[in-house]
Amino acid sequence: MAEKILILDFGSQYTQLIARAVREVNVYCEIITAPPNPDSSGQALPEREAYNVKGIILSGSPFSVNDDGAPMADIKKLSEKLPVLGICYGAQLTAKAFGGIVEKSDKREYGRAVLKILQKNKLLKDVSETSNVWMSHSDTIKKLPDGFEILGTTESIPVAAFKTTNSNHKTIYGLQFHPEVYHSAEGKKIIKNFLVDICGCKQDWTPAHFITDTIDALKKQIGDKKVIMALSGGVDSTVAATLIHKAIGKNLFGIFVDNGLLRKDEFEQVLSTCKSLGLNIKGVDAKDHFYAKLAGKVLPEEKRKAIGKSFIEIFDEEAHKITGIDFLAQGTIYPDVIESVSVHGPSVTIKSHHNVGGLPAAMNLQLVEPLRSLFKDEVRKVGKELGIPDEILSRHPFPGPGLAIRILGEVTQEKVRLLQLADAIYTNGLRKHNLYATVWQAGTILLPVKSVGVMGDERTYEFTVVLRAVTSVDGMTADWAHLPYEFLAEISSEIINNVRGINRVVYDISSKPPATIEWE
C-alpha cells in the first residue's frame, strides 16, 4: 500500500487545495474529519487511516480555537509518532495544545502579507527571505509555548511560522498563513519541503503505480464474480470501467441508457468508443420512457426526480436480465466522497451522490469504486496512461440529468432536438477555433421564451438560446470565459441560420458565485 499523508479537516474552505498540493508532488493523501469536540479527541487514529502514514497536516477552520465545541485533535499524541504541520487554525490549535496563548487579533487579518524568515530550516528551505503569503484568520498566536521557536514573522503577526524544539515529539511545524492557496507565492514549495525533507515521502504515487495497485486490488475484491455498471461516456465512468475491465474482463457488464437527453449523436459515439476499448457494453434506447415521465413537469427538482426515478427503473430492469451479479461499479471520485460527508464546519457543501444514487436496496450489491481516491485531473492522467482516447478524456463535464436542466421549463422531444442542434454547432465551433480546451465547461441553454425576429421578408416568433462557457479548476468556483467577439458572432449566425425554431442567441457573463454553472 502506498505511503500517505493524512489531512485532518477542521472545516476549512481550503482543505481540498491542501490535498491537491500534496498530490501534485506525487504523494498520496487522504482527508479525514477532525473530531467535533474535545471529548473524542483523545482517540488514536483508526487502524485503516493510521496504516503507512508518513505525516499529518492540520487544516484551517471557520472556528476559533477558543469557541465552545470547536473541533479538536490530540496533537500531542499524534506528534509523538509523526511529523505534524498545522496551517492557520491547525497552527493555533497546536500552540494552544502545548500551553501557548491564542487570542482574537486586534483586527481581522485577511489577504496578502509578506513573510520575513528569521532562520533557515527544512520547512522553509529555498524560500525567499521575504515571500508573499495569504492570510485568512481572526485569531493570532500571542505567545508560543515553551519548547517552540519562531521561524518567520510578518508586519502584523509576530508568530507567522514556528517549530518545536522538544525532542519528545516528532517535528511539529505551524504556519499562520495558507501555503496551499495560489496567492502564497512559494507555498507549494513549503508543502513539498514538509512532505519530502521532513516526512521522507518518496514521491512515487504516479498514474502507472495507481493503475497497477488498483487492478491488483480489484482482482482481490471481485475475484471471478460479476459486476454491473451504468456508463455515461464521461471521463469518470469510462476510466473506472476500463480499470475494472483490465481486472476482470467480460465479467464487467456495462449498461448505457439513452434517456433522450444526451448531446447530438452521443449515444452512438459512446457505444462505439466503449466497444473500441474492449468494454462489454449494452445500449438501451429508453427515450420514449423518459419523455413520458417528463411530460408536464416544469420545476427543476421535479425534472431531476423524474429522470432519477426513470433511470433506476430502466437500470433495475436491465440488471435483472443478467444472472449472478454481485457488485455495482460507480465512477465516484474524491470530491464526491468529500462533499457527500458532513464535515464539522459551514464551509463544506453537502450534496447527494450523483453516481447512480438511490438504486433499490433490494438489489443487494456491493460497491466497487476504483476512482474514489482521485481528483478529476488525476482521473484524466490515469485515463491517458490507460490509452483512453483524448476525445473522452478532454470532454467537458455534463450534468447527470442531461439537457433536461438546460431546457428551462417543460422538456419535449422537439425542444431537445432544437437544443441538440444548437449545442452541436457551439461545441464544434469551439473545437474548430481551438477554444474547447481553454474553457472548463461549455453548453447551450434553451429559454422558455420566444421573441420576434426577421428573416428575409418574414417575421419570426421563435426561441432564444444562451451560450455558456466558464473557466474553472474544479467547478467549485468559476468565471465566465472571455470568448472572442468574432467567434460568438459566427456561432450566433450559424445557429440562427441553421436551426429553424431559434432566432436569438445571447451569451451568459455570470460567474460562480453568485450564479451557478448550470441554469437549473
Side-chain angles (χ1 to χ4, degrees), residues 30-78:
E30 291 180 7
I31 298 172
I32 62 172
T33 307
N37 56 62
D39 296 335
S40 59
S41 64
Q43 298 176 0
L45 291 172
E47 184 178 348
R48 182 188 71 81
E49 281 146 348
Y51 184 75
N52 211 22
V53 175
K54 303 290 287 185
I56 305 283
I57 297 178
L58 311 175
S59 83
S61 176
F63 288 87
S64 164
V65 296
N66 297 315
D67 287 345
D68 292 335
M72 296 289 171
D74 193 338
I75 300 172
K76 288 185 177 180
K77 182 174 289 187
L78 291 174

Side-chain angles (χ1 to χ4, degrees), residues 183-258:
H183 306 290
S184 291
E186 298 177 276
K188 301 289 181 68
K189 187 183 294 183
I190 295 171
I191 291 174
K192 182 179 179 181
N193 288 342
F194 176 72
L195 301 174
V196 178
D197 295 335
I198 296 169
C199 297
C201 294
K202 298 175 184 175
Q203 298 179 267
D204 59 357
W205 194 68
T206 64
H209 283 135
F210 173 83
I211 291 169
T212 302
D213 292 346
T214 301
I215 291 174
D216 288 344
L218 288 169
K219 287 178 178 178
K220 292 175 183 176
Q221 180 186 8
I222 301 167
D224 59 357
K225 296 190 167 105
K226 294 178 181 178
V227 179
I228 192 169
M229 181 176 187
L231 294 172
S232 67
V235 177
D236 303 336
S237 72
T238 304
V239 174
T242 303
L243 282 167
I244 297 169
H245 171 74
K246 286 187 175 294
I248 65 170
K250 295 297 182 181
N251 275 354
L252 170 65
F253 294 82
I255 296 174
F256 180 38
V257 177
D258 185 356

Side-chain angles (χ1 to χ4, degrees), residues 108-240:
R108 178 172 167 79
E109 290 155 331
Y110 182 85
R112 289 181 175 83
V114 177
L115 173 69
K116 181 180 180 182
I117 297 176
L118 301 182
Q119 59 170 297
K120 286 292 183 179
N121 57 88
K122 288 184 178 180
L123 185 69
L124 301 176
K125 185 185 75 172
D126 298 328
V127 176
S128 306
E129 289 188 7
T130 55
S131 184
N132 289 328
V133 295
W134 185 259
M135 299 287 183
S136 180
H137 59 96
S138 55
D139 285 352
T140 193
I141 299 169
K142 296 290 187 178
K143 180 180 182 298
L144 273 177
D146 294 338
F148 286 77
E149 61 183 358
I150 298 174
L151 301 178
T153 185
T154 71
E155 185 176 346
S156 57
I157 300 179
V159 183
F162 64 86
K163 72 179 289 288
T164 181
T165 57
N166 191 330
S167 60
N168 293 327
H169 296 271
K170 285 281 187 178
T171 307
I172 306 173
Y173 285 92
L175 303 171
Q176 276 205 94
F177 57 89
H178 287 274
E180 70 274 22
V181 304
Y182 170 79
H183 306 290
S184 291
E186 298 177 276
K188 301 289 181 68
K189 187 183 294 183
I190 295 171
I191 291 174
K192 182 179 179 181
N193 288 342
F194 176 72
L195 301 174
V196 178
D197 295 335
I198 296 169
C199 297
C201 294
K202 298 175 184 175
Q203 298 179 267
D204 59 357
W205 194 68
T206 64
H209 283 135
F210 173 83
I211 291 169
T212 302
D213 292 346
T214 301
I215 291 174
D216 288 344
L218 288 169
K219 287 178 178 178
K220 292 175 183 176
Q221 180 186 8
I222 301 167
D224 59 357
K225 296 190 167 105
K226 294 178 181 178
V227 179
I228 192 169
M229 181 176 187
L231 294 172
S232 67
V235 177
D236 303 336
S237 72
T238 304
V239 174

